[in-house]
Amino acid sequence: MDPRHLLDLDRAHVWHPYAPMPGTVDPYVVESASGVRLRLAQPVAGRDELVDGMSSWWAAIHGYGHPVLDEAVRAQLGRMSHVMFGGLTHEPAVRLAARLVEITPEPLQHVFLGDSGSVAVEVAMKMCLQYWVSVGRPAKRRLLTWRGGYHGDTFHPMSVCDPEGGMHALWGGVLPHQVFAEEPPGGYDAPLDGAYAAHLAELIERHAGELAAVIVEPVVQGAGGMRFHSPAYLRLLRELCDRHDVLLVFDEIATGFGRTGELFAADHARVSPDVMCLGKALTGGYLTMAATLCTSRIADGISRGEVPVLAHGPTFMGNPLAAAVANASIDLLLGQDWQVEVKRIETGLRAGLADAASVPGVHDVRVLGAIGVVQLDHPVDMRAATAAAAAEGVWLRPFRDLIYTMPPYVTDDTDLGRITAAVRAAAAAG
Ligand code: PLP
C-alpha cells in the first residue's frame, strides 16, 4: 500500500495508544524489522531505517527476526497455532509454566498464562482478593501501593496506578479506592530512609484488616516516571507484609528477564513475593502473553474455598505459539552470558549519557541495567524530541518529562553509541 494512503486510512480509522481520534501526529510506517533495526516505508529525516532504542516497549530483548525465535514459531505453527485451554493442555504451555517456576523465586509454584500484562495484574489482584474470601476474611479487599506506579490500562490495575500525575487520573471517581503510600525517596543506591520506613509501617499496620495485598513495581517504576528505588524497600515491604498478614505482589512485567541487571528485579533484594506478574519480554516481544505466578498458600487457599476455582479464563490463554516462542526466548537468554551483555549496555549507557547532565533543561540522568533515563525539568516536546532522535537514526518515544531508552540486549556498541547520541539530541531538542 502506498505509505501516504496508508497514513490517511490510519488517521481516519486506527486508534493508537494514548492518542486522539482522528490522529494528530503521523506515526512512522514500519515495513519490516530485523536485528535492532526498524525499516521505514518512507524516510524520516532522511533515514529509511532506525535503530530501536525502545525494544518495542521493553519486549524485544533479542531484537527482531531472531532465527531461533522465528524457527520456534514456525515449528509450532506446523503443529497447532491455538487450541482452547479449558479441558485441554499442551506441551508448550506446560514446559513454559515449569520453566517459570524453575527460574523465579522458589515459593512461586503455580502459573496462570494470560494474554497481556494488564490481565496478568488483574489475575494477581483476583488471586489475592479471592484468597482472603476463601479463608474467611472477605474484608481484606483493598490494595496498597506507592505513588507513581503503572500497572496497566484495565480497570482494576488502573486503580493502583499513580492517582494524580498518572495516566488514569480521569477515572478517579469510578475506580476501586486503594491505599497509597508515598513513593520511596532516593534512587537505587539510596540508604533506607527511617522516616519513610515509619510511614510505610504505619500505613500497612493501620489498614492491615482491609488490605488484601501490597503491589509494587520492584526497583524500577516504569511508565509512571522511570524512577529507581533501593532494593532495601522490597525487603522492608516483605517484612511488613509478613508481620501484618498482607500478601505481596511484584509487578515484573517491565523489569523481568534481565532488564535491570538481575534476572528479576526481586533478585536485587533476594526477596520473594507471594505473587509475581510477568509479560513483555516473556516471549522476546514476539507474541502477546503474560504470566501470573503464585505460592501454594494462595493456590491451596483458593482451591479450598466456597468457590474452589480461580474464575478467570481468557480465550487465548496459554496460546501454543506464544508459549513456544517464550520457551525459546528464555532458553536463548539463559543459554548465553546475558549478564555480561546487560552490563555492557549499562556501561555504554553510563558513558554515553554522562554528558547529557550538562544539557540545559536536563534535571537528572540515571542508568540501571539496560535502562537509561534523561529527565528534563519541563514537559518534553514529543514531536521535536522524536524527530531529533530520528535524525540520529534512532527510534525513541519520549513522554512527560522523560527521554529514555531500553535497547535490545543484542545492540552492539556502535548502535549503542547512536542511541546515546540520539537521547542527548532529543534532550537538547525537547
Ligand atoms: N505493568 C507494568 C509494570 C507495565 O509496565 C505494563 C505496561 O507497560 C503493564 C503492567 C501492562 O502491560 P500490558 O501493556 O501488556 O497490558
Side-chain angles (χ1 to χ4, degrees):
M1 192 186 290
D2 169 64
R4 271 176 311 230
H5 181 47
L6 183 151
L7 279 175
D8 285 344
L9 292 178
D10 184 281
R11 210 174 299 116
H13 304 300
V14 181
W15 223 311
H16 284 266
Y18 290 88
M21 177 57 68
T24 49
V25 180
D26 281 347
Y28 302 168
V29 183
V30 182
E31 207 165 51
S32 61
S34 170
V36 299
R37 287 182 159 66
L38 308 174
R39 176 157 284 278
L40 303 177
Q42 55 182 11
V44 173
R47 307 274 183 175
D48 56 11
E49 59 178 30
L50 300 177
V51 173
D52 183 4
M54 303 300 291
S55 295
S56 275
W57 273 337
W58 312 82
I61 53 175
H62 306 295
Y64 302 95
H66 194 290
V68 170
L69 303 190
D70 284 7
E71 183 46 35
V73 177
R74 231 180 271 120
Q76 183 54 40
L77 199 51
R79 291 183 205 107
M80 123 182 103
S81 59
H82 185 63
V83 65
M84 63 184 279
F85 213 50
L88 300 176
T89 194
H90 46 77
E91 186 176 327
V94 174
R95 265 184 29 142
L96 177 59
R99 188 80 156 120
L100 292 176
V101 166
E102 183 191 311
I103 64 176
T104 52
E106 198 265 328
L108 301 169
Q109 288 294 314
H110 311 284
V111 184
F112 186 99
L113 294 172
D115 46 12
S116 75
S118 300
V119 166
V121 175
E122 293 279 2
V123 169
M125 292 172 152
K126 194 182 269 190
M127 281 174 175
C128 294
L129 266 62
Q130 190 169 340
Y131 169 78
W132 291 115
V133 170
S134 300
V135 300
R137 299 182 67 186
K140 285 170 80 69
R141 55 190 312 155
R142 293 180 76 191
L143 280 294
L144 181 145
T145 188
W146 46 50
R147 288 175 191 277
Y150 176 76
H151 297 279
D153 293 342
T154 55
F155 263 77
H156 221 141
M158 282 201 295
S159 72
V160 284
C161 292
D162 189 32
E164 278 132 31
M167 295 190 257
H168 302 313
L170 179 67
W171 300 103
V174 288
L175 295 175
H177 192 53
Q178 312 293 18
V179 182
F180 286 90
E182 294 308 317
E183 196 183 328
Y188 180 85
D189 295 316
L192 190 121
D193 181 290
Y196 180 76
H199 158 70
L200 211 49
E202 188 280 322
L203 213 52
I204 292 177
E205 183 175 6
R206 174 150 48 101
H207 292 281
E210 53 175 357
L211 279 184
V214 170
I215 180 169
V216 294
E217 293 159 272
V219 179
V220 175
Q221 263 178 317
M226 301 297 293
R227 283 177 296 268
F228 307 155
H229 301 139
S230 162
Y233 292 108
L234 302 180
R235 287 189 285 274
L236 175 66
L237 277 181
R238 182 69 276 177
E239 209 181 290
L240 293 171
C241 286
D242 286 346
R243 193 183 311 155
H244 297 291
D245 214 7
V246 173
L247 299 170
L248 180 58
V249 181
F250 285 170
D251 178 349
E252 294 241 16
I253 286 163
T255 52
F257 302 101
R259 181 58 68 180
T260 66
E262 296 281 353
L263 191 55
F264 300 102
D267 298 338
H268 287 270
R270 308 270 169 262
V271 154
S272 176
D274 301 291
V275 179
M276 183 186 268
C277 304
L278 299 172
K280 292 189 181 279
L282 172 63
T283 64
Y286 265 56
L287 282 160
T288 175
M289 175 173 261
T292 311
L293 287 88
C294 76
T295 59
S296 293
R297 172 192 176 191
I298 294 178
D300 292 350
I302 290 173
S303 306
R304 281 201 289 268
E306 196 181 320
V307 178
V309 298
L310 182 70
H312 212 96
T315 304
F316 290 100
M317 179 170 179
N319 175 262
L321 287 174
V325 75
N327 285 320
S329 175
I330 294 169
D331 287 348
L332 191 60
L333 182 69
L334 301 185
Q336 57 176 311
D337 214 341
W338 65 269
Q339 274 173 306
V340 170
E341 294 309 311
V342 172
K343 195 75 203 164
R344 176 183 60 78
I345 291 178
E346 182 175 76
T347 306
L349 290 175
R350 281 191 200 286
L353 296 181
D355 283 358
S358 55
V359 172
V362 168
H363 168 67
D364 189 34
V365 178
R366 46 190 183 264
V367 172
L368 182 69
I371 308 167
V373 182
V374 171
Q375 185 170 5
L376 306 181
D377 60 14
H378 56 274
V380 65
D381 177 339
M382 260 177 85
R383 198 187 303 228
T386 307
E392 297 286 332
V394 173
W395 168 241
L396 294 177
R397 177 77 173 161
F399 78 107
R400 290 186 8 194
D401 53 355
L402 300 163
I403 296 158
Y404 65 108
T405 177
M406 52 278 191
Y409 305 164
V410 293
T411 309
D412 68 22
D413 290 342
T414 308
D415 284 336
L416 199 57
R418 287 196 176 98
I419 290 174
T420 51
V423 172
R424 293 194 306 265

